[in-house]
Amino acid sequence: MLGVRGLLPAALDAVGLRPGDPVSVRPDFVVDAELLQFTLSPDFRNLERESRRNYAIDIRLLLSWLWRQNVPWRAAAMADLRAYKEFRVDSPLNPQRIGGTKSNREAAALTQLYKHRMNARHATTLVRALLVLATNEVQR
């Protein structure tokens, strides 16, 4: 029989989570099962530890921004991603604007997320949009 201390580690093992794996919890305190599947996927797990940490942060920033816009991440359109990129890079409303290198890393993280979870047609459209955003940033 598992004691109280053994319950959480056993539950994490059952799901497949390892120490340090990110778990996305929405602002309403619900674990997002689709994001958890991404976290457990080989696409994410095969990244270096620091890349996993950075990607999780980058994805969280987009998800938080979309949540505040009342847009589910699965329903995000190119216009939403453009607005997010504009907010991150150019908006005076964002006191922590980012430059090209950070913008490119965010685009890579979001591309990997959408490639993994969205249907092929929608993912292709979003991935193309993200790559265009990253390319435009490099050309600045």
Side-chain angles (χ1 to χ4, degrees):
M1 181 168 166
L2 289 173
V4 173
R5 290 179 183 241
L7 289 176
L8 184 57
L12 295 176
D13 285 343
V15 172
L17 285 169
R18 300 180 206 154
D21 282 348
V23 176
S24 296
V25 179
R26 299 184 327 212
D28 61 357
F29 305 107
V30 174
V31 172
D32 189 310
E34 289 187 68
L35 289 171
L36 181 58
Q37 289 305 312
F38 171 67
T39 299
L40 298 173
S41 74
D43 293 334
F44 188 80
R45 286 247 166 120
N46 289 336
L47 295 170
E48 294 294 323
R49 180 183 176 148
E50 187 65 12
S51 293
R52 287 192 311 269
R53 187 182 76 75
N54 289 332
Y55 276 31
I57 290 168
D58 296 340
I59 291 167
R60 179 185 54 83
L61 291 169
L62 172 69
L63 298 178
S64 296
W65 187 85
L66 288 171
W67 182 272
R68 288 190 303 275
Q69 309 307 310
N70 294 315
V71 176
W73 71 270
R74 291 165 208 81
M78 272 200 281
D80 299 311
L81 294 173
R82 282 189 188 113
Y84 175 71
K85 187 248 182 192
E86 181 180 324
F87 173 76
R88 293 289 289 148
V89 175
D90 296 321
S91 177
L93 299 174
N94 180 6
Q96 299 175 336
R97 289 185 295 269
I98 60 173
T101 302
K102 174 77 167 105
S103 181
N104 289 340
R105 189 186 80 201
E106 285 186 5
L110 302 178
T111 297
Q112 190 161 18
L113 170 66
Y114 280 104
K115 277 175 72 172
H116 178 79
R117 296 308 298 162
M118 303 303 282
N119 69 55
R121 193 179 93 198
H122 191 58
T124 300
T125 301
L126 286 171
V127 168
R128 201 172 297 131
L130 289 166
L131 292 175
V132 166
L133 294 176
T135 302
N136 290 343
E137 189 61 34
V138 169
Q139 294 173 354
R140 280 185 170 196

